[in-house]
Amino acid sequence: MIDTKDRQLLEHIQLGLPVCTRPYLEIGRLCDMPEAEVIERLTRLKQQGLIKRMGVIVKHRQLGYRANAMIVWNVPDNLIKQLGGHISRFPFVTLCYQRPRQPEWPYNLYCMIHGKDKATVLNQLEQLVDACGLSAFVREILFSHRCFKQRGAIYKNTAPTDVGATLVAQQHEAAHLLGD
């Protein structure tokens, strides 16, 4: 069960963490709670599954990375963990995760590669294929053509009162699947 302080905290983090040396202290100031309480509450909310994950959103285009591609693979399910572990170790891979196959979409392993240009991304992909032994697996390379807005989850209270309130995280999958 969440309380008013939890809701206030979620409201502040959905806008992103402050860019400073002690973001939890700053959020605590905004929510009128000590830094340690902010960390404890966020940890509890994550353990309860109300916060799925917290991470950094890098605006890579502003850093000069103009090309990115989502590579989708159709690999045996029993190799997902092993291959995903290998793929995610490469510094140019910014995302690597599993998704269930769909009847019209047979791919189950996804990774995002960013580079200064398209040729760099393709060269990095070949390094990945060679180093991880991926040449036998069917894949598609999906280069982004647009830059989507990047942001984290939006939390909102779906119940009119505190009793039975739940949180719904709306995630913008297009930003992860097709773009930045």
Side-chain angles (χ1 to χ4, degrees), residues 3-166:
D3 61 20
T4 303
K5 282 187 169 186
D6 290 335
R7 283 189 188 85
Q8 185 181 23
L9 187 56
L10 289 170
E11 184 179 324
H12 284 287
I13 69 163
Q14 74 183 354
L15 302 175
L17 296 180
V19 180
C20 62
T21 57
R22 299 193 52 197
Y24 302 112
L25 178 65
E26 184 60 33
I27 290 171
R29 287 184 187 136
L30 295 170
C31 296
D32 195 29
M33 64 179 83
E35 179 182 34
E37 183 179 354
V38 169
I39 294 168
E40 180 276 321
R41 284 177 176 274
L42 290 174
T43 300
R44 182 177 42 77
L45 291 168
K46 187 164 184 337
Q47 289 170 345
Q48 291 174 344
L50 296 173
I51 295 175
K52 185 175 180 183
R53 69 182 180 94
M54 290 181 68
V56 175
I57 296 174
V58 177
K59 303 207 183 253
H60 64 275
R61 288 182 189 264
Q62 293 176 7
L63 297 174
Y65 292 85
R66 302 283 180 219
N68 62 315
M70 176 66 73
I71 295 79
V72 295
W73 310 85
N74 183 358
V75 303
D77 290 333
N78 65 325
L79 295 178
I80 288 282
K81 189 170 185 174
Q82 176 188 347
L83 292 173
H86 290 307
I87 291 169
S88 65
R89 289 190 182 116
F90 285 78
F92 50 79
V93 174
T94 56
L95 292 171
C96 185
Y97 55 92
Q98 178 182 8
R99 286 192 167 247
R101 290 183 182 88
Q102 301 299 320
E104 67 282 354
W105 189 253
Y107 306 103
N108 59 343
L109 183 60
Y110 294 64
C111 76
M112 179 68 78
I113 297 176
H114 291 277
K116 299 282 183 179
D117 53 46
K118 188 174 183 176
T120 300
V121 170
L122 291 172
N123 286 334
Q124 291 169 331
L125 174 58
E126 285 311 308
Q127 289 176 38
L128 190 69
V129 168
D130 292 343
C132 297
L134 297 166
S135 60
F137 302 113
V138 175
R139 71 173 187 246
E140 293 287 335
I141 306 168
L142 310 170
F143 276 94
S144 296
H145 299 286
R146 295 179 44 195
C147 183
F148 293 90
K149 182 178 180 181
Q150 295 174 276
R151 64 160 301 131
I154 299 171
Y155 298 95
K156 67 180 181 180
N157 186 351
T158 59
T161 66
D162 287 348
V163 180
T166 58

